[in-house]
């Protein structure tokens, strides 16, 4: 069981070379002058390898923006992001794109899959884009764990919401990325499918040492994580280790959410 | 709801402008056609009707008898101020700068200023015998003197000399370029042998209406067989005789305009369908907050009507501008097309506005109906990625087949009977069927080709194939617009190429020799060599002539042909065979008067010599035998005719002029027949027609390509989320651009190839049914042009993807998550 890394806001986390992803002085500002909105107002955070971390906070706290910047989907206004030893903010678009398809996996809230492609093609898409062939044994293993063996030939609209999210998880896990980012992965699911999806993410962390970072606003979803990072008004606002739904709820109340 | 309509137009303006471009082009085309037609009519009326426009009454002899005797009787009438008749004859003149004489049409000018219609470019009209005015075509200028040979009614020649006092500007008269004209006094014209003028032009007294003058004159000439018309009526009558062909041309142009409008309609329908599909949630929200289905529909149609009206207005202006440009170019180039100035008939403006607005409205009708069927709940559901289903597919299939099968059968019958009137409706029916079936047939073809593209193009190719087949209706509509344009263009190109090949073969058989120079008696020995040396002449062959006794005992002229030199001169030996040793080619009249069958022996005698030859038949004027046989039979036979072949790329008119000059210098009465210029004229008419028709149909292809670009741009907007996801998952910008390029190349390429196949079929069927009855048919496939059409359409389709692809590549990956 990996030990969650403790950070103190403002302190350089450069010494923490064991982190899968970390950010230093991350700022994201929309607009300028008096109307400027600071979605991220200087965030220093690190996520350990093999950990399952939830990012939580009230609406508008900047949790989605943080994830976008960490995943190289969005450019930060200031600050730095490292994926392992790679500094992301200095990369060109094509380098970032290549990095995303090989070292980062995504699970989004909705619209995860390309409607034209059957499940199998959706799963291997990032590796195909990178011009790689998936390891067949690993592919079979991932598909079996996610219970998708019978569904590989189906198109997304022939699958239930839970099945679609499982296909998205399979796609995220297949290239053995440095980190999987999940953005409200259960937001569109009923509670049973949601629990199933969270269990699968959790077991991928436990069984294969996959690093997972998940944005959520649901305390019971956050309870599946090893650690919860709380965000408010674009700043870190504390964190919890080994959270439960009740402790998360308490911490959120403390933020005034 | 009006506020919603206007706000929605503002919000979607760039997209609407892109699709409105199709309407602008189509309407511009319609308006330009109508305006050019009107301009051409007005120009002809001005030019051909010039002698009549300012005149109150015109008297024309119905029985061809002269009216010169009636001049005094008409002049004596109360309401008549002046009367004039035009004396007319033809003369031969040796114009400055030319070595041979030319035919000129000579007419008299009126004495009364009111009846002088000629507008002068320079100088003055003649006032005395010996003075003349000339048309610009003659090349003579004021002050020139040149000799004129005139012919009295009994045929006697008379030489005189004239001085040019003025140059007449004939304006847009389409006949101005055909031959030169000159004008002299009535006295001069009578001296040149003009007799029996058949027309009187009458100027009324100031203040007397033209109708009254006509009545007075008609009453005075009641005893003669004459027609009396007002000047305006006469001018229109004269113009109508010339513009009959122009009207036919307008009809053809309007057919192309219809094609352009149809294609624009398809493009618009397609654009609106996608535009509204994109706004499904927006429309559903309107329904949620209380708009009725009818209000939503009215808002959508209002948007279409306003777009159509605005686009049509721009199109009308563009059309008038285009017509003005064409007219200016035609005028500057002195083309024989009667265009000068610009006449805009109000009907062109009205028709342009009506056609454009109605097309847009009609095209938007189906998408608007579909959009208003949106349930209010759709606003609350996330975007539905399921494909739009094609409705009425079965009906379309049945209807398409019902049109296609009988249409193709009719075309078969038309080809078999060589009757275009049977093949034409067949073609129209079957093409309608093809258009209906295309909606069904195109997506599978795109899918099949897409699988190939998937192998070649990697993941982007595969995704592109999927995208192109996912919304079959959209793909089919885009492809159909391009398909129609390419099919028609190809049909025309193939049809024109075959028509040209057939016509060229026919012309070569009909006019095997380019130029025939005949002497008045024998030809000077040095002349054939000098003719052959003229620049542009590539081969020459001399024919000898002698008079011998035919098999019926009568004297007959015969020609001696040198096979060695004649073969390279003749363009075709189909109708004029070259006689081998021991053979003679007989003209067709010999069959009946000598009764000699083809292949039978025929004997000629001259003095004590005889020659018995085997008879062939051909289009010759005289029995034609090998030159050696004739020399044996009639040793005195001398060269009297020279055949010339001209270089294909030479300006035949110039070469023939020079040949004429060389020949007339050696033999004053040489007779030069330039069949080459006739053939070249027909050939160039075909060339120009081909070019014009291809250009016109190119308009339809351009409109269709706008549609391809539009569809692609819209599908990029539609797929913003999807493109964002792909970018998030690791699709580089280059790969995304590649994906869209593959997609458009797929749709455009498939449409172009299908269109070329269909067009070739229609073109060949058309040619076979039109020309089948005119003897030998030469089918010709212009592979180069057809290949160019496929290439241009596909490349243009690719280019159409550039802008949307740039836009798509800018899609931030976050767009997928942000939704």
């Amino acid at each position: 069981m990996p030990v969650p890394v403790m950070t103190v806001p403002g302190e350089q986390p450069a010494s923490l070379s064991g982190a899968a992803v970390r950010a230093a002085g991350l700022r994201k500002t929309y607009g300028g002058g008096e109307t400027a909105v600071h979605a991220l107002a200087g965030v220093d955070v690190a996520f350990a390898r093999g950990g399952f971390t939830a990012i939580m906070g009230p609406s508008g706290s900047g949790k989605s923006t943080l994830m976008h910047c960490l995943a190289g989907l969005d450019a930060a206004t200031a600050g730095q992001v490292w994926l392992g030893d790679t500094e992301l903010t200095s990369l060109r678009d094509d380098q970032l794109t290549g990095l995303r398809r090989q070292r980062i996996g995504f699970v989004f809230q909705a619209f995860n899959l390309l409607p034209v492609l059957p499940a199998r093609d959706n799963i291997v898409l990032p590796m195909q884009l990178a011009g790689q062939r998936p390891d067949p044994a690993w592919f079979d293993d991932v598909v079996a764990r996610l219970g998708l063996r019978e569904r590989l030939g189906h198109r997304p609209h022939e699958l239930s919401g839970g099945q679609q999210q499982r296909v998205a998880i399979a796609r995220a896990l297949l290239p053995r990325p440095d980190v999987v980012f999940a953005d409200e992965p259960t937001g569109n699911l009923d509670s049973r499918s949601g629990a199933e999806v969270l269990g699968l993410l959790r077991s991928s962390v436990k069984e294969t040492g996959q690093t997972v970072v998940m944005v959520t606003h649901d305390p019971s979803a956050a309870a599946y994580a090893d650690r919860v990072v709380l965000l408010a008004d674009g700043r870190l606002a504390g964190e919890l280790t080994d959270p439960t739904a009740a402790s998360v709820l308490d911490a959120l109340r403390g933020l005034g959410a | 709801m009006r506020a919603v309509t206007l706000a929605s137009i503002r919000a979607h303006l760039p997209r609407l402008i892109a699709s409105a471009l199709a309407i602008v082009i189509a309407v511009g085309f319609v308006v330009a056609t109508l305006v050019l037609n009107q301009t051409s009519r007005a120009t002809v009326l001005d030019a051909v009707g010039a002698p009549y426009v300012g005149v109150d009454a015109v008297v024309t002899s119905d029985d061809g008898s002269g009216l010169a005797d009636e001049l005094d009787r008409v002049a004596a009438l109360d309401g008549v101020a002046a009367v004039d008749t035009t004396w007319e004859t033809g003369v031969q003149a040796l114009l400055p700068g030319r070595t041979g004489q030319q035919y000129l049409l000579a007419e008299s000018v009126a004495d009364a200023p009111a009846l002088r219609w000629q507008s002068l470019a320079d100088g003055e009209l003649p006032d005395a015998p010996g003075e003349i005015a000339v048309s610009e075509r003659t090349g003579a200028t004021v002050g020139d003197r040149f000799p004129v040979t005139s012919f009295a009614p009994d045929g006697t020649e008379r030489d005189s000399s004239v001085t040019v006092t003025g140059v007449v500007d004939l304006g847009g008269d389409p006949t101005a370029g055909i031959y030169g004209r000159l004008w002299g006094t009535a006295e001069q014209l009578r001296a040149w042998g003009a007799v029996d003028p058949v027309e009187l032009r009458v100027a009324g007294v100031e203040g007397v209406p033209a109708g009254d003058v006509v009545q007075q004159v008609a009453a005075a000439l009641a005893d003669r067989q004459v027609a009396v018309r007002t000047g305006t009526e006469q001018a229109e009558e004269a113009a109508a005789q010339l513009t009959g062909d122009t009207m036919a041309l307008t009809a053809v142009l309007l057919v192309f305009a219809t094609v352009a409008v149809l294609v624009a309609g398809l493009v618009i329908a397609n654009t609106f369908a996608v535009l509204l599909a994109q706004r499904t949630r927006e429309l559903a929200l309107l329904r949620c907050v209380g708009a009725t289905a009818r209000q939503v529909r009215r808002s959508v149609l209002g948007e279409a009507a306003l777009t159509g009206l605005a686009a049509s207005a721009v199109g009308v202006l563009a059309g008038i501008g285009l017509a003005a440009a064409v007219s200016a170019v035609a005028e500057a180039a002195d083309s024989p097309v009667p265009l000068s100035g610009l006449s805009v008939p109000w009907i062109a403006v009205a028709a342009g506005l009506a056609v454009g607005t109605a097309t847009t409205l009609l095209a938007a009708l189906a998408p608007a109906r579909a959009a208003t069927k949106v349930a209010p709940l759709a606003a609350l559901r996330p975007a539905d990625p399921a494909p739009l289903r094609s409705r009425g597919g079965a009906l379309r299939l049945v209807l398409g087949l019902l049109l296609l099968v009988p249409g193709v059968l009719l075309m078969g019958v038309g080809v078999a009977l060589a009757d275009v009137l049977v093949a034409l409706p067949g073609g129209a029916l079957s093409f309608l069927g093809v258009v209906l079936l295309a909606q069904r047939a195109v997506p599978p073809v795109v899918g099949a080709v897409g699988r190939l593209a998937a192998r070649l193009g990697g993941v982007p190719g595969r995704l592109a194939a999927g995208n192109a087949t996912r919304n079959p209706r959209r793909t089919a509509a885009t492809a159909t617009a391009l398909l129609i344009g390419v099919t028609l263009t190809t049909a025309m190109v193939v049809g024109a190429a075959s028509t040209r090949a057939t016509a060229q073969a026919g012309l070569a058989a009909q006019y095997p020799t380019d130029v025939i120079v005949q002497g008045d008696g024998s030809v000077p020995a040095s002349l054939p060599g000098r003719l052959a040396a003229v620049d542009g002449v590539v081969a020459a062959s001399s024919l000898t002539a002698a008079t011998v006794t035919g098999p019926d005992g009568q004297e007959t002229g015969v020609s001696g042909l040198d096979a060695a030199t004649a073969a390279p001169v003749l363009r075709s030996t189909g109708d004029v065979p070259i006689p081998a040793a021991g053979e003679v080619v007989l003209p067709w009249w010999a069959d009946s008067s000598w009764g000699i069958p083809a292949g039978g022996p025929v004997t000629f005698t001259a003095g004590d010599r005889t020659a018995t030859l085997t008879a062939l038949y051909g289009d010759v004027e005289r029995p034609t035998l090998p030159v050696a046989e004739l020399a044996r039979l009639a040793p005195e036979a001398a060269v009297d005719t020279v055949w010339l072949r001209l270089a294909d790329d030479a300006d035949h008119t110039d070469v023939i002029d020079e040949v004429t000059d060389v020949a007339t210098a050696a033999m004053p009465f040489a007779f030069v027949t330039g069949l080459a210029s006739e053939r070249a004229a027909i050939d160039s008419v075909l060339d120009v027609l081909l070019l014009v028709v291809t250009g016109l149909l190119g308009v339809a292809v351009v409109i269709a390509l706008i549609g391809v670009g539009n569809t692609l741009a819209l599908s990029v907007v539609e797929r913003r989320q999807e493109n964002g996801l792909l970018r998030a998952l690791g699709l580089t910008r280059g790969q995304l651009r590649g994906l869209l390029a593959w997609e458009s190349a797929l749709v455009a390429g498939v449409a172009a190839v299908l269109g070329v196949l269909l067009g070739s079929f229609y073109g060949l069927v058309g040619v076979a049914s039109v020309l089948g009855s005119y003897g030998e048919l030469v089918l010709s496939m212009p592979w180069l042009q057809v290949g160019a059409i496929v290439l241009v359409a596909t490349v243009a389709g690719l280019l159409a993807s550039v802008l949307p692809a740039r836009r798509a590549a800018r899609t931030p990956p976050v767009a997928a998550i942000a939704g």
Side-chain angles (χ1 to χ4, degrees), chain A residues 67-68 72-74 93-94 97-98 100-101 106 108-117 121-122 125-126 128-130 157 171 183 188, chain B residues 382 385-387 459-460 462-463 466-467 469-470 721-735 812-814 816-818:
Chain A
M67 196 202 90
H68 295 161
L73 289 172
D74 207 351
D93 183 75
D94 276 3
T97 305
R100 279 202 301 271
R101 66 189 177 203
F106 291 102
F108 301 121
Q109 175 176 1
F111 202 80
N112 255 307
L113 308 176
L114 286 186
V116 261
L117 300 179
D121 290 359
N122 261 300
L125 183 64
Q128 268 190 346
L129 290 174
H157 63 92
R171 180 187 65 202
D183 187 4
N188 269 355
Chain B
V459 180
R462 207 148 114 232
L463 288 171
N467 283 338
T469 45
R470 180 152 41 125
Q721 246 190 347
E722 190 175 319
N723 292 334
L725 178 67
L726 280 167
R727 294 275 292 121
L729 293 180
L731 192 76
T732 62
R733 284 186 179 155
Q735 282 176 314
V814 185
I817 316 141

Side-chain angles (χ1 to χ4, degrees), chain B residues 12-23 267-268 271 706-707 709-710 713:
Chain B
H12 302 105
L13 201 57
R15 192 88 309 133
L16 284 174
I17 285 174
S19 52
L21 206 55
I23 282 293
V267 169
I268 291 276
T271 311
I706 292 176
N710 252 342

Side-chain angles (χ1 to χ4, degrees), chain A:
Chain A
M1 183 87 195
V3 177
V5 179
M6 299 296 297
T7 54
V8 179
E11 188 185 311
Q12 272 293 351
S15 57
L16 300 165
S17 56
V21 193
R22 61 201 162 88
L26 204 57
R27 287 178 177 275
K28 179 75 183 176
T29 310
Y30 295 103
E34 290 187 8
T35 57
V37 175
H38 302 281
L40 294 178
V43 174
D44 302 289
V45 69
F47 302 93
R49 274 189 224 290
F52 186 0
T53 313
I55 302 176
M56 292 206 74
S59 291
S61 61
K63 55 187 190 295
S64 284
T65 308
L66 175 62
M67 196 202 90
H68 295 161
C69 290
L70 291 175
L73 289 172
D74 207 351
T77 310
Q80 283 150 324
V81 175
W82 287 270
L83 180 69
D85 293 327
T86 315
E87 211 280 299
L88 298 192
T89 47
S90 62
L91 295 183
R92 286 182 292 109
D93 183 75
D94 276 3
Q95 292 172 315
L96 259 186
T97 305
L99 184 116
R100 279 202 301 271
R101 66 189 177 203
Q102 282 173 300
R103 295 178 58 189
I104 298 177
F106 291 102
V107 181
F108 301 121
Q109 175 176 1
F111 202 80
N112 255 307
L113 308 176
L114 286 186
V116 261
L117 300 179
R120 177 197 302 277
D121 290 359
N122 261 300
I123 292 172
V124 298
L125 183 64
M127 299 200 68
Q128 268 190 346
L129 290 174
Q132 294 167 340
R133 289 188 168 280
D135 169 10
W138 176 238
F139 178 85
D140 287 343
D141 185 36
V142 169
V143 167
R145 272 195 287 132
L146 293 167
L148 288 170
R149 197 165 279 154
E150 312 300 317
R151 299 274 174 247
L152 288 178
H154 290 55
R155 302 246 172 155
H157 63 92
E158 296 163 331
L159 300 171
S160 73
Q163 285 166 343
Q164 288 187 26
Q165 286 309 71
R166 295 206 315 252
V167 172
I169 293 172
R171 180 187 65 202
L173 295 178
L174 193 65
R176 301 189 213 245
D178 291 12
V179 57
V180 170
F181 287 104
D183 187 4
E184 303 274 16
T186 58
N188 269 355
L189 301 180
D190 59 80
S191 55
R192 205 178 126 220
S193 309
E196 203 174 79
V197 163
L198 290 165
L200 286 166
L201 282 175
R202 168 93 220 144
S203 64
S204 73
V205 172
K206 272 197 168 156
E207 287 161 24
T208 65
Q210 179 66 55
T211 311
V212 176
V213 177
M214 171 175 80
V215 169
T216 184
H217 65 271
D218 176 5
S220 51
Y224 282 83
D226 307 322
R227 170 190 171 214
V228 172
V229 173
L230 292 162
L231 224 60
D233 299 327
R235 294 170 203 282
L236 281 189
E239 64 171 86
L240 298 168
T241 315
D242 294 328
T244 62
S247 66
V248 172
L249 210 53
D250 281 343
L252 283 175
R253 280 204 194 97
L255 295 177

